[in-house]
Amino acid sequence: MKYRLPVDAGRGLLVTACIVLLLPGCSIFSDELPASGARSSAGDGQIQILVEKNKASWALPSDAYNPPYFAMEDYAIDLQATPCLEAAGIDFRMVRFDPNGPGPKTMNDSQHRIFNRDVAAEFGYHLQLDPRVSMEDRIRNDADSTLDDPDTWETWNNCRQDALRELGGDPTQEVYSFGFPVDSADRDPAVHEAEEKWRQCMAPLGIADLPSDATPTNGLPTDSQYEQWGLNQDVAPWEIPPLGQDEIKAAIHDAECRDSSGWTDARYEAEWNAEIDYLTRNYRELEAKRVKYDALKEAYLKVIRERG
């Protein structure tokens, strides 16, 4: 398996999960979101925004309409599938997830990268491994060869599909995504102006391979930085080399440039406004989707409370 740290700090594109098979780490309760041009706004134009603005956590309106967090989903399905797996003689130990624990400081549950001066000083461009997920279980399962046998894998997958159905999900749904399919923030004049100021602010670092059109959401870390800091090694996330002072210094400078250039404010406002527009135009479909997601999330939490 190839590993590479995701470092995109933007929110303009969808983060899509896996296809029909119930692979670990993949959200599979899905209907397609309406296309960005589709219109099904609330009849009177009134919508309810369920998320409060919070730039620090990069909260956006779409947060209320996201599918269940993949690690919680995996754990709940594994718990529900345990009797089936035990009956089949499969000793597959699940990865535990604590839904009441604090999430990672570098990524929110909507899969948006959190990056500011405090985060840069603590993590550089590294991602914090989710503290709610049992690292002991992840490391053990990464080395486990139980599912390498095709027949065992098929039985395991069938048990999990049945478990998902029992929890109210649908294993025939093929993809899921986080966020709304909007990209107008990429074309926002205020964002473009701030990006140019950011590039000027970054110049003193002398990053030789920083593209001339780089933006905070596209260009950092560069290939040379990945190589220098060991971020591009083909290893599991927990085996990435430790954080060094050069990376911290560059990340702090980047974070400060994002703020001083006005990029952080401009980008957040542009993304928020784009999502409000999309929510207004697709409100009915999104509200119906949210009801289904909320029911599935509650089913997952109930299984975790009772069996975890």
Side-chain angles (χ1 to χ4, degrees):
M1 178 181 293
K2 281 196 171 293
Y3 300 93
R4 181 176 173 111
L5 283 176
V7 295
D8 184 313
R11 183 60 179 282
L13 50 89
L14 295 176
V15 181
T16 3
C18 302
I19 57 175
V20 194
L21 303 175
L22 295 183
L23 302 176
C26 301
S27 184
I28 35 62
F29 186 78
S30 166
D31 299 306
E32 286 295 328
L33 281 170
S36 58
R39 289 184 176 274
S40 60
S41 60
D44 58 1
Q46 298 298 313
I47 63 171
Q48 184 178 8
I49 302 171
L50 301 174
V51 177
E52 292 186 9
K53 293 181 79 171
N54 187 327
K55 185 175 59 180
S57 63
W58 216 263
L60 292 171
S62 60
D63 295 350
Y65 300 89
N66 284 332
Y69 186 61
F70 67 87
M72 178 177 71
E73 178 178 72
D74 278 343
Y75 185 37
I77 292 173
D78 283 340
L79 287 169
Q80 186 72 15
T82 296
C84 176
L85 294 171
E86 290 178 344
I90 298 177
D91 181 21
F92 176 78
R93 286 177 286 181
M94 63 198 74
V95 177
R96 290 165 292 176
F97 175 82
D98 178 7
N100 298 315
K105 297 179 183 179
T106 57
M107 185 83 71
N108 65 24
D109 281 358
S110 296
Q111 305 301 291
H112 184 273
R113 180 69 188 268
I114 305 301
F115 189 81
N116 52 48
R117 195 188 188 287
D118 290 341
V119 168
E122 186 173 357
F123 298 100
Y125 290 107
H126 280 58
L127 290 179
Q128 180 188 20
L129 297 176
D130 193 334
R132 296 168 297 184
V133 178
S134 168
M135 192 51 51
E136 176 187 356
D137 293 347
R138 285 190 65 183
I139 294 173
R140 181 202 64 226
N141 281 17
D142 192 60
D144 190 354
S145 60
T146 300
L147 298 181
D148 290 350
D149 176 70
D151 292 337
T152 300
W153 185 92
E154 183 176 2
T155 301
W156 168 82
N157 190 56
N158 288 338
C159 284
R160 296 186 87 241
Q161 286 186 345
D162 290 343
L164 178 63
R165 292 187 185 96
E166 293 165 4
L167 291 170
D170 182 357
T172 66
Q173 300 290 352
E174 64 179 53
V175 291
Y176 230 118
S177 53
F178 293 84
F180 292 159
V182 294
D183 60 4
S184 59
D186 294 334
R187 303 184 299 275
D188 187 275
V191 173
H192 284 184
E193 181 180 350
E195 287 170 348
E196 178 57 34
K197 293 178 180 178
W198 172 83
R199 285 189 286 269
Q200 294 172 6
C201 182
M202 291 294 291
L205 288 185
I207 305 172
D209 58 339
L210 184 67
S212 60
D213 61 348
T215 72
T217 59
N218 184 21
L220 285 176
T222 65
D223 288 343
S224 67
Q225 289 174 324
Y226 264 111
E227 184 69 29
Q228 176 186 353
W229 300 328
L231 298 176
N232 61 344
Q233 295 187 20
D234 185 16
V235 296
W238 50 88
E239 296 177 354
I240 292 290
L243 185 61
Q245 289 302 310
D246 287 344
E247 180 183 347
I248 293 175
K249 179 180 178 181
I252 289 176
H253 186 96
D254 180 6
E256 290 177 343
C257 285
R258 296 183 189 205
D259 288 344
S260 64
S261 66
W263 180 87
T264 301
D265 289 337
R267 181 77 194 192
Y268 182 70
E269 289 299 320
E271 290 189 15
W272 179 274
N273 292 335
E275 289 212 350
I276 290 296
D277 178 65
Y278 184 85
L279 177 61
T280 302
R281 291 184 289 111
N282 299 282
Y283 190 62
R284 290 197 183 99
E285 284 92 341
L286 290 168
E287 277 296 293
K289 190 180 300 295
R290 182 179 64 80
V291 170
K292 290 198 296 184
Y293 290 166
D294 286 352
L296 190 58
K297 291 173 186 176
E298 181 52 40
Y300 288 168
L301 289 172
K302 184 174 186 291
V303 169
I304 292 172
R305 287 193 299 265
E306 293 178 351
R307 303 185 189 178

